[in-house]
Amino acid sequence: MTGEWQRRRRARQRLDRIFAAVFLLAIALSLLTLAVLFWDVVRDGARWLRWEFLTGYPSRIPERAGILVPLVGSLWVIGLTALLALPLGVAAAIYLEFYAGDSWLSRLIEANIANLAGVPSIVYGLLGLAVFVRGLHLGRSVLAAALTMTLLVLPVIIVATREALRAVPLSLIHGAYALGATRWQVIRTVVLPTAAGSIMTGVILAISRALGETAPLITVGAWAFITYLPRHPLDGFSVLPIQIFNWAARPKPAFQQLAAAGIIVLLAVLLSLNAVAIWLRNKYQKKAEW
Amino acid sequence: MGVAFQIRNLNVYYGQHQVLYDVNMDIRERAVTAIIGPSGCGKSTLLRCLNRMHDLQPGVRITGEVRFKGKNIYDDDVDPMEIRYRIGMVFQKPNPFPKSIFENVAFGPRINGYRGNLNELVERCLRQAALWDEVKDRLHKSALSLSGGQQQRLCLARALAVEPEVILMDEPASALDPISTAKLEDLILELKSRYTIVLVTHNMQQAGRVADETAFFLNGRLIEMGPTRQMFANPREKKTEEYLTGRFG
Ligand SMILES: Nc1ncnc2c1ncn2[C@@H]1O[C@H](COP(=O)(O)OP(=O)(O)OP(=O)(O)O)[C@@H](O)[C@H]1O
Ligand SMILES: [Mg+2]
């Protein structure tokens, strides 16, 4: 009896080790690929990463070309997108979680939001072109792009926020109700503070996805050759991924290297956004436990 | 002494499943009423009927009446927020908010628009809950840094801070050591001069020590209710006797 049992245990332990090795291999492979790609980009682009590159305007001469216009354009678009999508997405999630109840309509809406998160981004681009650029006459502007991006990230934000809201312990919610709190008071004083960290993380991750989007912005007009900085939401603009693509598509090797330098800038912005997300999460977690 | 609750023909269903059958009982004002009975007999369900906590859960159906000071709290014109404000609750598991000790106690007064001196109120409630001496130097530290017993007393202080008329307690001592339990029982005895207290407990000795009246439930039915001493000494029903003497099937 004991022998049989022991043997089985050894078999299970061996299986355990095999799985550990498989998982380690999987993560090592993905990290390695990433490292190689990154190394390749840095080797090509590092030389061009000078102050003049960061503050320079577009030019047909590689030595004079800079990335300022698309960099500022990207920041404008994601900034405005965040401003629009955060309150809208969080409000929608709160509505669905706490007010909508369990009617067939709310179930229909729920199913559709999950589906919307999977719609290809180019479709949002076409929608943005039809509705915002042409329909509302916003033209090929930062605002039209931000509205399009808002549509794109909204489902993701709503889904992430609902997850965060659901993670708030029911015992806390009931504790607040038991003191005579109204639904909105419970949401404001208990639910949102407890969920804030995860909500912010979800929102920033969604927004950083928007930062890398290219297709929908091409359709709403970020392709144009722009030589000035956007000053208000109705100005024209360009964004980082499109500029990078633009450079990469030219035959001259110097432009290829400029594209690599542009990728480094894009990655730097992305990583800073993620760092902010992590910092926010830690900050709120500490505050929540404090 | 007056009557706080008059429960009449109360039936409760979770979906299709009925858990309380035709409960009729009166709960005295400014007294401690213990609710005892085996696990799953519906004690918590009954308690949650008394401050409309069931509203928060879909799929619960309630028929009959719960009259509080003569008024059925399930009437359409009754605001459940006001009911919960007047009838406080301490849960089985301590559930302090992830905020400071001070903010936990101040929570109820704040949301109900308290205008007086919050510092005084918080101190008074913490003293009432016999917690003040242990926390007075760290009022602005997290409530989660307290021990389980301290957290439970904090939850009591939090409930007292809105100055309710009734305090419902669902096995408040189930997670506490004997010393904290004794403190809590002293507290209950002290509070009953001003509050109506309904206490769910699995602990017969506890019911014997603190309760003026005791109600025994079995399978969703009220079997017997009466003055604790009398009921413990010579129960009217055979089932009560079996339960009290531990000879329960
Ligand atoms: N949310 C719920 N949904 C469905 N059934 C429930 C729910 N809550 C309780 N019940 C059922 O109702 C019955 C009574 O539950 P209740 O929690 O009132 O028992 P209790 O007397 O408090 O038990 P315990 O002493 O173990 O806390 C049990 O059979 C339980 O399974
Ligand atoms: Mg219970």
Side-chain angles (χ1 to χ4, degrees), chain B residues 47 90 156 167-172 188 191 197-200:
Chain B
L47 208 64
V90 177
L156 180 58
I167 304 173
L168 309 174
M169 301 190 191
D170 194 348
E171 296 179 52
I188 291 172
L191 292 173
I197 295 175
V198 186
L199 172 75
V200 170

Side-chain angles (χ1 to χ4, degrees), chain A residues 64-131:
Chain A
R64 282 209 218 136
I67 203 162
L68 187 65
V69 172
L71 177 61
V72 172
S74 269
L75 293 178
W76 259 100
V77 172
I78 59 164
L80 214 54
T81 304
L83 223 59
L84 293 167
L86 175 72
L88 220 67
V90 173
I94 288 176
Y95 176 78
L96 288 173
E97 256 335 277
F98 290 94
Y99 291 88
D102 196 26
S103 63
W104 65 269
L105 184 66
S106 70
R107 277 200 295 276
L108 188 76
I109 292 175
E110 262 185 72
N112 273 304
I113 287 173
N115 286 336
L116 280 178
V119 169
S121 56
I122 185 79
V123 177
Y124 286 101
L126 293 172
L127 183 72
L129 180 66
V131 175

Side-chain angles (χ1 to χ4, degrees), chain B residues 14 17 19 37-46 48 57 92 170-171 200 202:
Chain B
Y14 289 114
H17 176 54
V19 292
S39 183
C41 70
K43 305 180 295 294
S44 301
T45 304
L46 176 72
R48 286 198 294 267
Q57 208 187 339
Q92 179 165 353
D170 194 348
E171 296 179 52
V200 170
H202 274 292

Side-chain angles (χ1 to χ4, degrees), chain A residues 171-183 185-186 188-190 193-194 287-290, chain B residues 53 56 81 84-85 87-89 91 95-100 107-108 111-112 141-142 158-159 162:
Chain A
S171 65
L172 294 185
I173 294 174
H174 285 179
Y177 274 121
L179 292 165
T182 61
R183 185 156 47 181
Q185 283 176 323
V186 173
R188 188 171 51 82
T189 56
V190 174
T194 314
K287 218 172 113 191
E289 277 159 23
W290 200 209
Chain B
M53 283 306 270
L56 306 177
M81 312 300 160
R84 296 192 201 111
Y85 166 72
I87 305 173
M89 188 166 209
F91 294 79
N95 59 346
F97 300 127
K99 302 172 189 280
S100 73
F107 185 91
I111 58 168
N112 289 296
K141 292 265 157 70
S142 168
R158 184 176 73 183
V162 294

